[in-house]
Amino acid sequence: MTPEPTELITGIRELSTQTDGAPRLADAALVVEGGRIAWIGAASAAPAADVRTDVGGRAALPGWVDSHTHLVFAGDRTAEFEARMGGQPYAAIGILTTVSATRAATERQLVAAATRLRREAEAQGTTFLESKTGYGLDLASEVRLAQVAASVADIVTFLGAHTVPPGVDRRDYLDLVTGPMLAAVAPHAQFIDAFCEVGAFDVEESREVLEAGRAAGLGLRLHGNQLGFSGGVRLAVELSAASVDHCNHLEPGDLDALASSATVATLLPACDLSTRQPFPPARRLLDAGASIALATNCNPGSSFTTSMAFCVATAVLQMGLTIEEAVWAATRGGARALGLDTGTDAVGALRVGGRADLQVLDAPSVAHLAYRPGVPLTWAVWRQGVRSGAGRSPAPLSP
Ligand code: NIG
């Protein structure tokens, strides 16, 4: 068998590995081979390789793991956003606007739009992402969305329980979601989710959906406590869901429940800004011992961004996280929320033998992600060892 060509990436002023033992290395290098990392260490001790790439004194870190997106949709909700900025409250009823446009779109249009967003995310350092269904809400449309999501995203979550479509009896819809729709979508998905929120699905309905998903072999995640006290956090912990997402309004006992569980609290700061919701208590969650992830929640209604760097900067500047905590939450935290923090398929950290998913910043340190908010700092991205995009200025970073 011909050996895979090796690439030495050197000139890394600061390598943030996000591993437990050696999170930040100075003047480092790494070798990529066959999509995996073959070596990590001091640049001065680097082995020879077929190709040598000098990143000129920049910082490198794992690619972002965006564990919560709704990437497959059609239509435009700019007017709704403008009205919201003019004082209208966010209402999940806007989901139905997207459902109509999405049902009317061709598969080709959906693939093209989702691919564009995926590329936009990757150009900003995201190397692994999840996408949900949930803008179809009938059997054929949800299957179509799951198939499109599977062709564009790394992980697919079935979100038939996003809202009850108009003209459909609530009980009939739940029977559809937990019966024939689940059976048809499950082969294309890894997780099931439900919108456990006041005005959407209550705790008992969400439990029914998640338990049906578990019986069909899917992992569990849950939208909870975004717009009010929905009971979603407690339900997610009770069912040992991989993640409970939003967590803006924690109820008494939620903090302790999360801290003593393996359920990750996935926080979505861009969504909080775009819906003018209070931020979740990120600092208190961490101090209590809970695991948190940061994700974009990219969707046309409540959070139309693919920028994980924006989420990291906001988490540091507005939510009281340190740089290290925010970067961990956007890499390892996302991986943990997807059940991919350990094992051969693990993502979100740079370790020998692991996936070569990394990004280089046009900056000497990861601190610049928050120190220079809003500046597009991604300089180069490798996904499974393959460099995407040309990178920007090839000149070394000035000292
Ligand atoms: O996470 N379950 C809620 N879904 C999205 C909102 C979707 C929309 O408004 O289109 C959310 O915020």
Side-chain angles (χ1 to χ4, degrees):
M1 219 167 72
T2 329
E4 299 266 4
T6 53
E7 179 177 9
L8 168 66
I9 303 173
T10 190
I12 303 173
R13 179 163 306 175
E14 174 192 274
L15 180 63
S16 173
T17 64
Q18 297 305 313
T19 52
D20 296 333
R24 283 203 213 183
L25 304 176
D27 299 321
L30 56 83
V31 175
V32 171
E33 182 175 14
R36 303 229 156 221
I37 297 175
W39 183 89
I40 296 182
S44 57
D50 301 313
V51 178
R52 185 176 189 277
T53 302
D54 190 330
V55 302
R58 294 176 170 84
L61 68 157
W64 305 125
V65 178
D66 191 349
S67 59
H68 182 142
T69 83
H70 306 247
L71 228 53
V72 189
F73 63 86
D76 179 84
R77 285 164 63 189
T78 312
E80 178 190 319
F81 175 75
E82 283 197 67
R84 193 157 71 240
M85 296 304 109
Q88 294 287 318
Y90 171 72
I93 189 78
I95 292 169
L96 295 176
T97 311
T98 303
V99 169
S100 302
T102 304
R103 285 181 181 171
T106 64
E107 183 160 336
R108 209 178 152 140
Q109 288 167 330
L110 292 175
V111 170
T115 302
R116 190 169 160 276
L117 290 171
R118 169 90 208 212
R119 290 197 181 129
E120 184 181 279
E122 194 162 321
Q124 298 170 90
T126 299
T127 49
F128 199 88
L129 61 79
E130 177 259 20
S131 178
K132 301 174 201 305
T133 68
Y135 290 124
L137 308 186
D138 61 40
L139 193 147
S141 304
E142 282 293 309
V143 171
R144 192 163 72 122
L145 262 62
Q147 287 170 328
V148 173
S151 73
V152 174
D154 302 287
I155 297 287
V156 178
T157 298
F158 170 43
L159 183 57
H162 203 180
T163 191
V164 178
V168 180
D169 173 76
R170 191 169 188 85
R171 186 62 252 169
D172 289 349
Y173 188 64
L174 277 163
D175 289 343
L176 176 68
V177 168
T178 56
M181 193 189 271
L182 172 61
V185 172
H188 310 287
Q190 291 75 41
F191 284 94
I192 189 163
D193 194 349
F195 190 15
C196 182
E197 209 56 65
V198 180
F201 295 92
D202 67 22
V203 167
E204 286 319 310
E205 292 167 337
S206 302
R207 182 198 304 280
E208 186 182 338
V209 170
L210 295 200
E211 282 179 345
R214 171 139 58 205
L218 299 180
L220 311 186
R221 38 203 334 101
L222 189 65
H223 280 64
N225 300 57
Q226 175 190 11
L227 306 172
F229 300 115
S230 70
V233 170
R234 291 302 274 278
L235 178 64
V237 170
E238 182 198 322
L239 297 181
S240 301
S243 171
V244 57
D245 301 41
H246 290 284
C247 303
N248 300 74
H249 301 275
L250 293 188
E251 297 165 73
D254 283 355
L255 208 68
D256 291 342
L258 280 167
S260 53
S261 77
T263 301
V264 175
T266 299
L267 314 183
L268 310 161
C271 175
D272 304 332
L273 289 172
S274 179
T275 55
R276 296 195 168 152
Q277 283 290 306
F279 288 119
R283 185 72 265 150
R284 282 172 51 222
L285 280 162
L286 280 178
D287 291 345
S291 290
I292 66 167
L294 290 169
T296 63
N297 189 17
C298 179
N299 78 78
S302 65
S303 187
F304 198 17
T305 183
T306 50
S307 175
M308 287 291 284
F310 176 76
C311 296
V312 166
T314 305
V316 174
L317 298 172
Q318 305 262 12
M319 295 161 71
L321 268 58
T322 65
I323 304 279
E324 206 55 66
E325 288 165 342
V327 171
W328 190 96
T331 53
R332 288 275 302 273
R336 191 170 286 180
L338 294 172
L340 291 171
D341 188 27
T342 54
T344 46
D345 294 332
V347 291
L350 300 175
R351 354 173 139 82
V352 173
R355 269 174 67 124
D357 288 354
L358 64 139
Q359 55 179 316
V360 173
L361 304 179
D362 200 11
S365 154
V366 293
H368 281 232
L369 287 161
Y371 182 40
R372 306 199 64 218
V375 177
L377 289 180
T378 310
W379 184 78
V381 178
W382 281 257
R383 183 167 179 274
Q384 295 192 284
V386 178
R387 185 166 176 176
S388 62
R392 291 186 288 151
S393 160
L397 206 62
S398 50

